[in-house]
Amino acid sequence: MKTDVQTPPTALGRWVRRLGATAWFGLRAAMLLVAIAWVGLKFVTLPPALFGVSAQSIELTDRHGVPLREARAGERFARAVLLRDVPPNLVHAMLAAEDKRFFEHRGVDVVALARAVIGNLRHGHVTSGASTITQQLVKISDPRPRTLGTKILEAARALRVEQVWNKEQILTAYLNRLDFGNLNFGVASAADYYFGKPLADLSDAEAAFLAGLPKNPTRLNPHSGFARAQRREATVLQRMHENGWLSDERFTLAEQESLRLRPRQRIFRAPHFVDLVLRDLPSNEGPLVATTLDLDLNRFVEETVRERLDKLREKNVRNGAVVVIDNRTGDVLALVGSEDYFAPGTGQVNGALARRSAGSTLKAFTYLLALEHGATPATVVADVPATFTTPAGTYRPENYNKHCYGPLRYRQSLANSLNIPAVKVLNSIGGPAVLQSRLRAWGMTTLDQPAEFYGLGLTIGNAETRLIELTNAYAALARLGDWKPYRLLLDPSAPPAAIPASASSDAHTAETRDAAWLIADMLSDNSARLLGFGMHSSLRFDFPVACKTGTSTDFRDNWAMGYTPEFTVGVWVGNFDGSPMHDVSGVTGAGPIMHAVMERLHTRFGTTWFATPPEIVEREVHPLTGKLLAHTRDDAVREKFVRGHLPPMESPDDYDIAGRAKLGPEYRAWMESGENRVAARATSEEDSTLRLEAPAPGTIFVVDPDLPSSGLAPVQASGAAHAVWESDSLSFRESEGHTYAVLREGLHRLTVRDPATGAKAETWIRVKTL
């Protein structure tokens, strides 16, 4: 029988067993410490900025997707992308440059850290770092002074980040927040700025070039240190090749590729338009904003403005602005605010938004209201000198060329933009309050004073307007009375650019539609404007266009408006400092620009004209009375009317025994003047009614002792061969055929009397002394 005998352990055996037990205990202790540390990381706080949404640039494009501008987010340009949108070659380039074991470590790369420590000790100074992408992301989110404590905190935070985010989330945040220099943050912004490319189009060499920049964006700035950036690119390419991310063939091609940087300046197109969009852009708009602008059209408009202003330099014309609106949608297709956005001083003033005197552009709305009130294009107005009494005193308008043309149909007086008829028409429909109400309802925000402030002069431009608002009001005419706000954003769900509190489309009635159709017909009538503009002005087209010009006092502003059913074009020409131009009117300044732009629209898109509504009829009328003719005659004119709103039929009482048309007494003085052009066809009745023309009741006069002429006030009456003026408190003086009241302080009553008939009229005034 065999017996087992235990051999006593040797000293070596005992040491080995003790060492194994110790190692096992140490391993378990280390595992426990790691576990405790990993759990403890849950109490490490992470910087709030890490979880915040980084501000992004806003990229604006035209309606066809052509870039206009990238607007900075604060002091940086940044575009967020998803990791799936970053091509593999760029991902590999970033990993090769910054953290090749990113997908292997847990936030801190122990191998890289050990290598860095040994290398730094060997050289006696820092030669390389070991920060992982996760650590860099933490540093970006919470910049701190570079101390040992900071690095330990960032390492702990990196470990914690890897607990709460997966690798794809970390890499996405890193690629979107990294600084690539020249205010570019994130790979998408850098690719666009340096190469003008989307990420998917980057070559291997371009990807490596970009990946090398974050190491030191200032020193490696491609604009000042291109050679250094290229050496860094070569290093990244070599690492990509060594890591197996580039084949030999791709590596060779990338090394040989000659990089071409995009020009240093950023895209900056249609600047005034983009500024306006950014001013009104809703805060919830995304990073890509499609606008209504047509960049090709806008470029044509910019060039047209430059060319026209070059021809007017010697006439002291320095600036202009243009707005083009798509009538169907209200989209602003083009907006040029000045000749040169970068011109010193006033280049960045947006002429489309500037408040400028409206000139005669508001007359079209006066006549629209008159037609709505029952007038017709054949209604006759007396274009003869006239004085109007207003609460502010007497008002005596003059035509642009200082001439009067006697009896004119509304069609002629509007087409020729005559001032005296326009004032009379406004007076006939209730005065300035009626016109102001419609203009405010159609989006004009500048008419912010009481109607009495403007008076009857409102219709001939003594108020200010903005080009974009005026153009949009004309677009309402083009829609036959349907006003809608203009739009700057292409998204149909986006709110319109601006809706003034006073704006309203309530005026879009059947009467307004018919009246607006007639206004378009009148403003497109080339023959009707012969008196004022001749046969071959800038308002004449080979296709129908409704046109209206305007010129303010002393040639400080001029305007040209044109519209078809599809488009409305508005043009302003002048000087931002308000200095007058030298004899430049709307037809010679703004008109040619409007003409060129409208021709461009017609050629590129095509234009049509308004279909004649079934309720519109044509009839022959007398050219001087506007009445329907019972029998045809050689000088008869054909006119358009709304069925049921025809002028009265002529009668024998309308003519004298010689067959001449009888005109009212208001024509008497004009008929006796050298301007009478209808002497063979008309006669006028004598005015036998006494009328007190001036001063208006309640007029306040201020006498300045240093100005002797301020002590005299002109008084005027009509309808009497010899008027006698009387007052209990004032005396009167005759001078050069005119009568004046000699003023003194106080409240005074004045009476005018016709000795032949005994008729009397009274007024009262107040006189103050400075």
Side-chain angles (χ1 to χ4, degrees), residues 120 129 406 481 553 572 604 727:
N120 295 340
T553 304
W572 168 84
R604 180 178 170 190
S727 173

Side-chain angles (χ1 to χ4, degrees), residues 746-759:
L747 185 67
H748 310 281
R749 184 172 300 278
L750 285 68
T751 303
V752 63
R753 176 170 54 85
D754 182 357
T757 64

Side-chain angles (χ1 to χ4, degrees), residues 361-679:
T361 57
L362 304 185
K363 290 174 183 172
F365 305 99
T366 299
Y367 283 86
L368 174 76
L369 290 164
L371 296 183
E372 290 178 17
H373 281 69
T376 75
T379 300
V380 172
V381 58
D383 181 25
V384 297
T387 301
F388 300 87
T389 57
T390 71
T394 58
Y395 175 54
R396 189 177 179 86
E398 291 182 329
N399 289 332
Y400 169 78
N401 60 7
K402 310 299 184 183
H403 295 297
C404 293
Y405 297 94
L408 290 178
R409 287 168 284 119
Y410 276 17
R411 176 179 293 272
Q412 296 170 293
S413 58
L414 173 60
N416 291 284
S417 195
L418 296 170
N419 291 341
I420 295 173
V423 173
K424 288 185 174 182
V425 172
L426 181 58
N427 193 49
S428 71
I429 61 174
V434 179
L435 177 58
Q436 182 189 33
S437 177
R438 177 59 58 85
L439 294 175
R440 286 172 57 83
W442 281 8
M444 294 196 193
T445 61
T446 53
L447 303 176
D448 46 13
Q449 299 294 327
E452 295 76 17
F453 176 84
Y454 306 107
L456 294 173
L458 177 60
T459 187
I460 61 175
N462 71 354
E464 293 179 328
T465 186
R466 294 186 174 93
L467 175 63
I468 193 167
E469 295 178 353
L470 180 63
T471 306
N472 199 42
Y474 268 84
L477 286 177
R479 298 185 204 102
L480 303 183
D482 182 14
W483 182 86
K484 61 176 63 176
Y486 61 85
R487 299 196 319 157
L488 303 176
L489 303 182
L490 195 59
D491 182 359
S493 64
I499 303 180
S502 60
S504 170
S505 58
D506 292 345
H508 191 215
T509 63
E511 290 77 10
T512 300
R513 287 194 298 272
D514 293 340
W517 188 92
L518 289 170
I519 291 294
D521 188 72
M522 295 157 69
L523 291 177
S524 64
D525 189 342
N526 288 311
S527 61
R529 63 170 69 98
L530 290 178
L531 283 175
F533 299 98
M535 284 290 294
H536 303 290
S537 75
S538 59
L539 306 186
R540 186 179 185 89
F541 291 84
D542 294 331
F543 55 95
V545 178
C547 305
K548 186 71 191 76
T549 61
T551 305
S552 68
T553 304
D554 296 330
F555 300 101
R556 297 181 188 278
D557 308 273
N558 66 65
W559 309 78
M561 314 301 295
Y563 64 89
T564 67
E566 294 80 18
F567 306 105
T568 298
V569 178
V571 181
W572 168 84
V573 166
N575 298 310
F576 289 135
D577 63 3
S579 60
M581 298 169 281
H582 301 155
D583 198 30
V584 179
S585 65
V587 74
T588 58
I593 298 175
M594 184 274 291
H595 188 102
V597 175
M598 191 60 80
E599 287 277 5
R600 179 76 167 195
L601 293 168
H602 177 71
T603 301
R604 180 178 170 190
F605 302 106
T607 60
T608 63
W609 193 240
F610 302 95
T612 303
E615 59 270 20
I616 297 296
V617 297
E618 288 193 34
R619 297 288 188 271
E620 285 191 339
V621 299
H622 192 286
L624 302 182
T625 67
K627 292 184 177 181
L628 295 176
L629 295 176
H631 306 283
T632 189
R633 50 187 293 156
D634 292 340
D635 61 350
V637 294
R638 293 193 66 81
E639 187 54 89
K640 299 181 176 71
F641 305 95
V642 177
R643 193 188 307 274
H645 292 82
L646 302 178
M649 182 67 69
E650 66 177 355
S651 72
D653 293 337
D654 295 327
Y655 306 95
D656 68 3
I657 193 170
R660 296 178 299 178
K662 294 180 181 178
L663 303 180
E666 67 270 24
Y667 292 93
R668 188 69 179 180
W670 178 82
M671 291 286 287
E672 294 173 352
S673 73
E675 293 188 329
N676 182 357
R677 61 186 178 86
V678 298

Side-chain angles (χ1 to χ4, degrees), residues 59-66 68 273 277 280-282 285 288-295 326 328-334 485-497:
E59 183 181 3
L60 298 102
T61 71
D62 84 337
R63 65 192 302 110
H64 306 296
V66 180
L68 299 177
F273 174 82
V277 172
D280 297 337
L281 193 67
E285 282 295 324
L288 185 62
V289 177
T291 71
T292 60
L293 191 87
D294 186 305
L295 183 59
D326 180 334
R328 181 181 62 85
T329 60
D331 289 356
V332 175
L333 299 179
Y486 61 85
R487 299 196 319 157
L488 303 176
L489 303 182
L490 195 59
D491 182 359
S493 64

